[in-house]
Amino acid sequence: MDSILRNMPDILEAIRAPYGLSDTATISPLGNGHINRTALVSDGKRRMVAQQVNTAVFTRPRDLLYNARMIEEHLFGKEGALRVVRHVPDSQGRFLHGPQEDVRVLEYIPATTTVEVLKEPGQAYTAAQGFARFSRQLSDFDASKLVAVLPDFHSPDFRWRQFLDALERDAAGRAGECAGEIAFAMGVEPLMRDWQELMNKLPVRVCHNDCKINNLLFHKESGAVAAIIDLDTCMPGPVLTDFGDLVRTCCSPEAEDSTRLENVVARPEVFRALTEGYMDGWRGEITRAEIDSLVQGGMMMCFIIGLRFLTDFLDGDRYFAIAHPGHNLERARNQLRLFDSLRTRVADHAVPA
Ligand code: GN1
Ligand code: MG
């Protein structure tokens, strides 16, 4: 995958005239997204976030806008609603720019920061409460109005089929290099079937579908949640996947791509904080069956993302942006390890209602 810096000048050019930016405006990479290219644009005192949508993944950027703007509107002005980072139109009311109409502008919220790796369990509580609050506030939004931009996004059946196809193709000739990980994944197949069955039985709600800790903005001063970012994968689904992504990105003391595997362990105290925060954010508005599914959600999401990284490694790194060769395999090893640790360290934790 090419350098993240490569498209920065194009992104700036795409928005310069529509947003009346001066010749001295600057642009620099922002965040850690694996799919879209995100940048901070500064022009004197003005700041905005610009993003080029990866159209190999999101083939119709218009659909992303449609979904996000419906959610933005639903939440806007709602009593006690959590803020979402909103799209900003140009002076003519247009949201998509550049020759491919794949560049958009989002608001920049000052005095906020993102967290890549949790510093203390309190942040897990805050993050989980924030994402649960977001979903609860969308309980009265008809999930079927959202375009399914990436159908079957967290379906175990779909991800398993993708993995088997990639293994059979072995397009990059790497199957030998990750034989250990492949064998490990094969052993988890029965669980994938159980998870699919579990998902099929749960209520469908509006899910964020990418509840990573770094998809929240925290107030620098107070540490409270300031806003939710990245509404691209908001689609109907069962809540265990959202909780699962929180577990996946909060429970380990290491980043998702850390190669210090000996440190990649699930911290039960963080898991507990997540369940408390999540339950608190929902304020009793989820069902017993959903509560009982949360522990499985953590293990499931960890394994599924590990499997997706492994699949992409087998495919020759065509989906996730990588910073160096072998990056996807490193991510896969990390996430499979975390899954294994969750299985032994938190699988028995019941979540109190
Ligand atoms: C991708 O690009 P980003 O970081 O928002 C991916 C998620 C994965 C995540 C792994 C559309 O999200 O599903 O969990 O990487 N998004 C898409 O960190 O595939
Ligand atoms: Mg995302």
Side-chain angles (χ1 to χ4, degrees):
M1 189 72 55
D2 48 351
S3 155
I4 194 86
L5 290 171
R6 205 183 61 129
N7 290 27
M8 291 291 142
D10 294 345
I11 296 177
L12 185 55
E13 280 329 301
I15 62 169
R16 193 189 298 277
Y19 292 85
L21 298 174
S22 73
D23 290 344
T24 56
T26 59
I27 185 163
S28 56
L30 184 68
N32 269 328
H34 299 351
I35 310 289
N36 299 328
R37 290 174 198 276
T38 312
L40 174 65
V41 174
S42 308
D43 190 17
K45 285 201 174 122
R46 241 174 121 193
R47 301 264 181 289
M48 54 180 75
V49 175
Q51 195 174 55
Q52 184 172 44
V53 175
N54 178 339
T55 51
V57 173
F58 298 109
T59 49
R60 287 166 47 96
R62 231 157 255 295
D63 290 343
L64 298 186
L65 259 297
Y66 177 81
N67 282 353
R69 298 207 53 245
M70 268 198 300
I71 290 174
E72 288 166 12
E73 265 159 42
H74 187 85
L75 295 179
F76 191 68
K78 202 172 188 180
E79 175 83 17
L82 201 59
R83 184 165 180 187
V84 290
V85 171
R86 307 179 76 191
H87 288 83
V88 181
D90 67 8
S91 54
Q92 295 180 37
R94 287 175 314 179
F95 287 93
L96 289 168
H97 310 282
Q100 317 298 330
E101 300 220 314
D102 56 356
V103 177
R104 58 184 169 178
V105 169
L106 295 143
E107 61 184 334
Y108 171 79
I109 305 184
T112 58
T113 181
T114 52
V115 172
E116 291 299 326
V117 175
L118 212 75
K119 290 181 193 72
E120 36 96 23
Q123 284 179 322
Y125 180 94
T126 310
Q129 189 197 38
F131 274 119
R133 225 175 106 200
F134 170 76
S135 293
R136 179 170 54 79
Q137 283 159 349
L138 287 164
S139 297
D140 57 345
F141 177 90
D142 178 5
S144 69
K145 284 205 285 193
L146 296 171
V147 181
V149 281
L150 300 172
D152 292 328
F153 191 51
H154 290 320
S155 151
D157 281 355
F158 173 63
R159 295 305 180 188
W160 189 253
R161 269 199 312 278
Q162 274 193 326
F163 166 66
L164 292 184
D165 288 350
L167 184 57
E168 195 182 308
R169 273 195 306 274
D170 193 14
R174 294 173 173 175
E177 212 180 314
C178 53
E181 288 72 26
I182 293 168
F184 178 88
M186 288 297 181
V188 184
E189 189 196 1
L191 270 180
M192 286 288 267
R193 280 197 234 116
D194 294 349
W195 288 327
Q196 185 67 59
E197 264 178 43
L198 174 64
M199 278 180 68
N200 294 346
K201 281 193 240 150
L202 293 170
V204 171
R205 300 182 183 270
V206 178
C207 285
H208 180 278
N209 284 314
D210 197 9
C211 290
K212 313 201 279 193
I213 180 100
N214 64 9
N215 271 336
L216 287 174
L217 292 181
F218 291 88
H219 283 294
K220 266 191 190 146
E221 290 263 311
S222 68
V225 172
I228 290 204
I229 52 183
D230 189 1
L231 303 184
D232 289 346
T233 46
C234 281
M235 284 179 286
V239 290
L240 86 166
T241 56
D242 276 358
F243 184 76
D245 255 328
L246 279 159
V247 171
R248 181 180 88 72
T249 57
C250 291
C251 276
S252 170
E254 294 283 324
E256 147 194 286
D257 60 351
S258 162
T259 53
R260 289 181 295 204
L261 293 185
E262 65 286 2
N263 295 349
V264 177
V265 286
R267 295 174 288 180
E269 69 280 12
V270 174
F271 185 83
R272 245 186 327 270
L274 286 173
T275 58
E276 284 164 16
Y278 203 67
M279 296 306 292
D280 192 22
W282 267 105
R283 297 208 194 134
E285 288 181 36
I286 48 173
T287 65
R288 185 70 243 181
E290 287 172 301
I291 297 168
D292 290 340
S293 75
L294 296 180
V295 178
Q296 291 300 320
M299 289 189 284
M300 177 181 103
M301 288 308 289
C302 217
F303 180 74
I304 284 185
I305 308 293
L307 189 72
R308 289 175 61 197
F309 286 141
L310 185 60
T311 302
D312 199 35
F313 178 72
L314 285 166
D315 259 346
D317 310 311
R318 294 155 52 89
Y319 187 91
F320 296 107
I322 55 166
H324 55 263
H327 202 175
N328 271 321
L329 181 57
E330 289 165 8
R331 290 167 173 156
R333 286 187 173 136
N334 176 307
Q335 296 293 287
L336 295 180
R337 171 96 178 192
L338 184 58
F339 158 72
D340 210 29
S341 173
L342 282 166
R343 192 157 57 164
T344 50
R345 301 188 67 170
V346 305
D348 311 329
H349 280 249
V351 180

